[in-house]
Amino acid sequence: LLAAVSPEFVAQEPQHQSAEQIELHDGLLDSSAHIDPKFLYDALGSSLFTAITQLPEYYPTRCEDEIFQRHGADIARHVGPIQAMVDLGAGDCVKAERLFASLRPSHYVPVDISADYLQAAVRRLKLSYPDMRITAVGQDFSHELALPDDIPTAQRLFFYPGSSIGNLGPDNAYAMLRRIRESCSGGGLLIGVDRVKPRSVLEPAYDDALHLTAAFNLNLLRHVNAVLGSDFNVDDWRHVAIFNSERSRVEMHLEAQRALRVAWPGGYRDFKRGERIHTENSYKFTPQAFSDLLHRAGFRDVAHWSDARDWFSVFSARA
Ligand code: AVI
């Protein structure tokens, strides 16, 4: 039995599906096909992202490091004394570790969707910081934040580096900041934010000469094949990265190189040559726009620091 949505988009009889499969199915059958950027991060995707942060074109990581090096003492003064440092998307915990000396948390709470990866990082940290209490939380914090309730909210400093907030759309970014504020009432937030800058800098950062970002984007199709059982052929697709200045975001897409059909259990879609799947937005902010967003989300006492070129900013705010 086929329920035709249009000649190109066909949903077949529903089978037992996971939430991720339903999300992928719906995104692929939308009038403009899209796939959530979380599907960029399987094991290979996470390694590719780590490699991207070392590319000469990908400036955000280096700019953020520079800010912490140049302004670390000022930042620590603004943050004030803290007990628990809650690291959102901690990964290998290296960014937070560099701040331990200046922020002096007594309790470190790394949160990451990949609990296994986190456990390995925490084992390493425990050897270097035997006196620090460490509580690893394996959690997808994109929809809710559930932290151990023995950490009073006023003792929490949320650390959200790397401009990961920029991968959320405006409504979700606002909702995430509100959730963080509610969860650290009396405490604070330290967050990295990428800034608006010329297209000539932004586009190569997302379309590098070694094609690592292209591999990162295309690898999402392999991850989707594994989750959905689809038959995407990576060779049929091309990585596209463009700065959408009206919306202040770099967009990543995958573009069909020929007319083709992608099928999966429960559906298929015919793509025309040149048709695109939208895979990621990376919003870029002016300091004023991000400061306004923090205030709207209920933060106060907002301060920020930048690198020498004003390409990236680190904001500190109280909740
Ligand atoms: C993780 N995130 C902040 C990166 C960014 O810059 O938006 C992901 C990324 N996409 C392509 N390159 C890096």
Side-chain angles (χ1 to χ4, degrees):
L1 180 75
L2 289 182
V5 178
S6 84
E8 297 91 28
F9 316 158
V10 177
Q12 293 167 347
E13 200 173 0
Q15 299 168 357
H16 179 69
Q17 289 173 319
S18 70
E20 282 196 330
Q21 288 168 332
I22 292 166
E23 179 188 349
L24 285 166
H25 171 98
D26 291 349
L28 285 169
L29 294 187
D30 218 338
S31 50
S32 308
H34 54 88
I35 296 175
D36 192 279
K38 71 181 173 205
F39 292 102
L40 291 165
Y41 299 94
D42 61 356
L44 179 56
S46 300
S47 301
L48 286 167
F49 177 63
T50 303
I52 286 169
T53 64
Q54 293 160 43
L55 289 170
E57 296 96 328
Y58 192 76
Y59 59 84
T61 315
R62 268 186 310 279
C63 289
E64 193 176 51
D65 290 349
E66 178 192 325
I67 296 167
F68 284 122
Q69 268 170 29
R70 287 166 61 126
H71 305 290
D74 264 5
I75 292 172
R77 257 191 302 280
H78 190 271
V79 167
I82 56 154
Q83 259 116 51
M85 181 175 187
V86 183
D87 186 358
L88 297 177
D92 59 11
C93 306
V94 167
K95 281 191 185 179
E97 188 184 357
R98 289 202 203 110
L99 298 181
F100 286 172
S102 57
L103 298 180
R104 307 187 145 279
S106 52
H107 189 178
Y108 175 55
V109 187
V111 183
D112 203 287
I113 192 167
S114 166
D116 292 348
Y117 197 60
L118 205 52
Q119 286 305 337
V122 165
R123 271 195 296 277
R124 180 184 62 77
L125 278 181
K126 280 191 168 149
L127 295 175
S128 308
Y129 304 89
D131 297 332
M132 190 184 287
R133 188 174 157 208
I134 303 179
T135 310
V137 179
Q139 192 180 99
D140 174 4
F141 57 89
S142 58
H143 297 295
E144 63 165 337
L145 261 173
L147 293 176
D149 49 17
D150 63 338
I151 316 167
T153 62
Q155 293 180 2
R156 297 177 180 174
L157 172 75
F158 276 86
F159 179 52
Y160 196 20
S163 200
S164 294
I165 189 82
N167 294 130
L168 304 176
D171 293 348
N172 287 340
Y174 169 76
M176 168 72 89
L177 290 172
R178 279 214 66 98
R179 269 198 305 278
I180 293 176
R181 197 200 60 75
E182 275 156 25
S183 177
C184 66
S185 187
L189 168 67
L190 189 60
I191 184 167
V193 178
D194 198 11
R195 291 175 57 160
V196 178
K197 61 183 71 60
R199 182 183 299 277
S200 58
V201 178
L202 286 169
E203 287 183 347
Y206 291 82
D207 195 4
D208 57 282
L210 289 183
H211 306 298
L212 286 190
T213 312
F216 176 60
N217 198 9
L218 288 162
N219 176 64
L220 163 143
L221 296 178
R222 294 206 175 142
H223 187 192
V224 169
N225 283 347
V227 174
L228 184 62
S230 48
D231 60 358
F232 278 104
N233 181 355
V234 168
D235 286 338
D236 289 333
W237 298 84
R238 179 178 84 91
H239 166 68
V240 176
I242 35 172
F243 178 48
N244 180 335
S245 57
E246 264 162 47
R247 295 185 145 173
S248 199
R249 67 191 194 195
V250 175
E251 300 176 1
M252 293 207 309
H253 301 261
L254 290 165
E255 186 179 286
Q257 297 287 79
R258 59 177 183 88
L260 54 88
R261 171 169 293 184
V262 178
W264 60 90
Y268 67 81
R269 178 167 185 157
D270 290 329
F271 288 88
K272 298 189 186 74
R273 180 164 185 255
E275 211 176 331
R276 290 175 178 177
I277 303 175
H278 192 167
T279 54
E280 188 190 63
N281 290 318
S282 192
Y283 282 83
K284 308 303 167 191
F285 296 87
T286 61
Q288 188 61 55
F290 198 74
S291 173
D292 290 349
L293 179 59
L294 285 171
H295 282 112
R296 269 196 291 128
F299 287 95
R300 59 188 175 82
D301 217 347
V302 174
H304 79 95
W305 298 265
S306 300
D307 58 295
R309 291 179 293 193
D310 283 342
W311 281 5
F312 199 91
S313 290
V314 169
F315 281 79
S316 168
R318 285 186 213 288

